[in-house]
Amino acid sequence: MLTHEKRLILKHFSQVLLGIALFCSSTSWGQTSPTSAPQKNGISSADRIATALINSLPDSGVKYGLKRYYQILDPRAYATDTQVASKNSGVSNYFQHHFSNNKCFAEKALLFYRDLRLSTRQTQLIDEKENRHSRTSLGDKAGRNRKDLKPGWLYEKAMHYTKGNPNAALTLIGMCGHDDLKQGEFLNDTVEEQLLAKGYRHDEFFELPDGEENQESPCPARTADFYIAGALADNADIDASLKRRILETQYPGKKAEQVASKNYHVLGAAFMTCQMIEAGLNPLLAVKVESMAANLYRGIRLCQNIEVPAHLFWRLQRDPQIKGRPPRLRFEEAVIQNALAKGRSKQCQTKSAKEDVFCDLLKAVGAPLELDVPRLEQRAQGLLQAYMDNMIASGLYASWHVSGEIAGVSLPCSRDQLFGPHPFMKWLVSQTELPLNICGSGLTAESCRKALAKIKSWEIDFDWTVSQHVAGAKFAARVCKPYPQNKTSLDEFCH
């Protein structure tokens, strides 16, 4: 059990991580345009907040561990908030720097990933007639359906290249394992020339990643065995029950082999947690930090996805034409009718349409602003109908959960529900055909049920991501060791 002192430390951790996360939180929903939100960059202020919080701690393993985590994460590496959803810039820069400046690390990394490329599969779709995903899937696991790969095979191979050093092994894996795309640009001409002089071939070390035309990489393809569950250990994976819930909620009717596993979250979390432990942080607390960071990451991604539709939903709820609609006219029908009417009358091209919610809605769905011919109106109607379910769910989620701007600070979305229906009622309505509307907002029972189903899928995303990070973090907590101050496992690659 956690002592009172450790609980206080964890509370301080939450404040530190919140400061770290501020740089990538979504913009204030109450003050931005729903279709052209400015690319805010809160990096400088968040950098000061997080740095001040960490520096306020007394010199200890807690301070050094958090400092190492923050230095690798490096919020200043992100030019805009939206980059958080597309790549791990700070982690990429960390590995790029050490690959370029640490010849021993670069050589071991090139040889390690060459070994993986030559000895393991680079795609899971061996037969084009197979009904499965080309990437490692929820149905794939070392030692289970893949008997040719024993549990922990990747970690064991990395340990071979680092002479049994677990911290260095997870650093090797983390270089490419922190993501499955855009891991970084790894350049060290001196080391490459030395290896080529020994008889190795260039194409054994580098290949063009998926979606890249000019940038070669030593990292495995995102379809490679490298990302299979159980690669670190049999228990470094999410529970089978969670995998079933993911399939039932997000991919009904699909087999586990048809859904990508996203196991890079496990690999990346193992590396980041190991670094905190190496710098002196207690392993139990390092797992807690990584878990909170995963919640923030998922909240940031969700906020970016629901910000615009949620803001539109709230504006539409307040619009006089929607509030005054006939009782039998559904919310969605009234919204679509008014939006199409604006398009037919060409009002969205006038100056007065600048703050018109229906014109903003047409822009948000990518519909023409002038619906002067039937085919354009038909296209706009289809786009609007497809947008409604997501918009309603976004508005309800943002209304019920901790998110948006609080006391002048924009927070990432959270799974913590403050308002709205009790979770049991949400479950009851989502599982039955009872004609209940527990969502309010003038919605029908059908609209409410659809929104609850979509919200449930977002909640599963939280469980999925956080559970993977915890699995990787717990593995690191079992194997990683603390180092003396001013030393890191990267110093060990020359030994």
Side-chain angles (χ1 to χ4, degrees):
M1 295 181 63
L2 292 176
T3 65
H4 176 67
E5 180 183 2
K6 287 183 177 179
R7 286 195 178 93
L8 291 177
I9 291 174
L10 283 178
K11 184 178 180 181
H12 203 156
F13 282 174
S14 300
Q15 296 171 337
V16 172
L17 285 171
L18 178 59
I20 291 172
L22 292 178
F23 81 96
C24 47
S25 61
S26 60
T27 53
S28 171
W29 294 355
Q31 301 175 7
T32 58
S33 166
T35 55
S36 58
Q39 293 291 302
K40 283 181 65 177
N41 187 345
I43 292 174
S44 58
S45 60
D47 185 43
R48 290 194 299 271
I49 293 170
T51 300
L53 284 169
I54 293 172
N55 288 338
S56 70
L57 293 169
D59 288 344
S60 63
V62 172
K63 180 175 183 177
Y64 302 141
L66 287 175
K67 196 168 185 178
R68 176 78 64 85
Y69 185 92
Y70 183 63
Q71 286 172 341
I72 296 174
L73 183 67
D74 189 13
R76 289 166 293 182
Y78 298 87
T80 64
D81 296 345
T82 55
Q83 282 190 0
V84 176
S86 60
K87 58 182 178 179
N88 301 326
S89 296
V91 183
S92 295
N93 290 345
Y94 173 84
F95 280 112
Q96 286 174 177
H97 169 77
H98 287 290
F99 191 91
S100 298
N101 294 281
N102 186 328
K103 295 179 182 179
C104 299
F105 170 64
E107 179 177 338
K108 289 287 175 61
L110 287 174
L111 291 172
F112 171 66
Y113 284 107
R114 169 188 176 273
D115 188 346
L116 291 176
R117 180 173 290 109
L118 298 179
S119 63
T120 59
R121 292 185 192 174
Q122 297 304 294
T123 180
Q124 308 306 307
L125 190 59
I126 304 302
D127 185 347
E128 290 295 331
K129 295 180 181 178
E130 284 186 287
N131 186 20
R132 63 152 297 131
H133 208 291
S134 61
R135 292 157 64 186
T136 58
S137 72
L138 287 177
D140 296 323
K141 189 165 184 177
R144 304 291 176 87
N145 69 314
R146 288 295 302 277
K147 301 293 185 182
D148 56 318
L149 297 173
K150 68 177 184 178
W153 68 272
L154 179 63
Y155 176 66
E156 185 178 300
K157 188 179 287 289
M159 287 285 278
H160 170 74
Y161 279 87
T162 59
K163 297 182 179 179
N165 185 316
N167 298 40
L170 289 183
T171 297
L172 266 188
I173 292 170
M175 185 182 106
C176 293
H178 69 87
D179 205 345
D180 62 348
L181 284 175
K182 301 179 180 178
Q183 294 98 328
E185 298 180 36
F186 302 110
L187 304 173
N188 193 315
D189 293 338
T190 302
V191 171
E192 185 182 345
E193 289 170 3
Q194 289 173 350
L195 289 172
L196 294 178
K198 293 179 181 180
Y200 294 104
R201 298 195 317 273
H202 178 85
D203 61 0
E204 292 177 333
F205 295 117
F206 297 96
E207 66 179 30
L208 290 174
D210 296 340
E212 301 287 349
E213 295 181 358
N214 301 311
Q215 181 185 317
E216 292 182 315
S217 174
C219 292
R222 67 192 313 218
T223 55
D225 283 347
F226 179 70
Y227 297 103
I228 197 167
L232 296 181
D234 185 66
N235 58 359
D237 187 21
I238 60 176
D239 293 335
S241 60
L242 176 54
K243 292 181 182 182
R244 287 194 296 272
R245 287 198 293 128
I246 292 168
L247 290 172
E248 292 168 1
T249 303
Q250 295 193 345
Y251 304 95
K254 284 195 172 185
K255 300 186 299 181
E257 290 76 19
Q258 295 174 301
V259 178
S261 66
K262 306 178 186 178
N263 200 56
Y264 56 88
H265 286 300
V266 175
L267 304 181
F271 162 70
M272 292 296 288
T273 305
C274 192
Q275 287 296 301
M276 287 187 279
I277 294 169
E278 182 177 297
L281 187 59
N282 179 283
L284 173 62
L285 300 181
V287 172
K288 292 291 184 183
V289 171
E290 188 61 34
S291 174
M292 287 187 285
N295 269 291
L296 290 170
Y297 164 82
R298 178 47 54 192
I300 291 162
R301 294 292 301 269
L302 179 58
C303 270
Q304 290 172 346
N305 291 333
I306 73 174
E307 177 184 356
V308 169
H311 189 53
L312 283 169
F313 177 77
W314 294 338
R315 290 177 62 195
L316 287 165
Q317 287 284 316
R318 297 192 299 266
D319 185 83
Q321 296 179 77
I322 300 302
K323 291 174 67 175
R325 68 184 184 277
R328 292 187 178 182
L329 189 62
R330 296 168 55 207
F331 169 77
E332 303 97 299
E333 293 172 339
V335 169
I336 292 173
Q337 287 181 14
N338 279 280
L340 294 177
K342 290 285 184 179
R344 283 194 300 269
S345 64
K346 302 183 180 181
Q347 293 183 46
C348 292
Q349 297 285 40
T350 63
K351 291 183 179 180
S352 61
K354 187 175 181 180
E355 298 297 329
D356 190 290
V357 64
F358 299 106
C359 295
D360 285 340
L361 178 61
L362 288 172
K363 293 175 187 176
V365 303
L369 298 182
E370 291 189 11
L371 308 177
D372 49 357
V373 295
R375 65 178 178 79
L376 292 180
E377 182 173 341
Q378 185 176 10
R379 179 189 167 204
Q381 184 171 1
L383 292 169
L384 290 165
Q385 288 174 336
Y387 194 73
M388 286 298 107
D389 291 346
N390 185 66
M391 184 186 74
I392 293 170
S394 298
L396 293 176
Y397 192 97
S399 299
W400 296 344
H401 296 75
V402 177
S403 59
E405 185 172 295
I406 298 177
V409 176
S410 293
L411 300 177
C413 295
S414 166
R415 272 210 65 173
D416 297 326
Q417 183 176 333
L418 297 180
F419 308 104
H422 190 277
F424 173 75
M425 291 302 297
K426 289 164 62 179
W427 174 85
L428 183 64
V429 170
S430 66
Q431 296 296 316
T432 67
E433 295 297 323
L434 293 174
L436 297 175
N437 173 22
I438 60 173
C439 300
S441 302
L443 302 174
T444 63
E446 179 186 2
S447 299
C448 180
R449 190 159 39 248
K450 288 181 179 179
L452 291 175
K454 188 167 285 291
I455 289 172
K456 185 179 179 182
S457 75
W458 295 338
E459 291 172 342
I460 286 289
D461 268 336
F462 269 98
D463 293 341
W464 190 354
T465 298
V466 173
S467 295
Q468 287 184 315
H469 278 256
V470 169
K474 285 184 174 179
F475 175 79
R478 291 195 298 271
V479 302
C480 292
K481 308 298 180 186
Y483 266 57
Q485 279 301 303
N486 301 319
K487 283 188 172 292
T488 75
S489 52
L490 281 158
D491 301 326
E492 303 292 323
F493 282 91
C494 288
H495 296 169

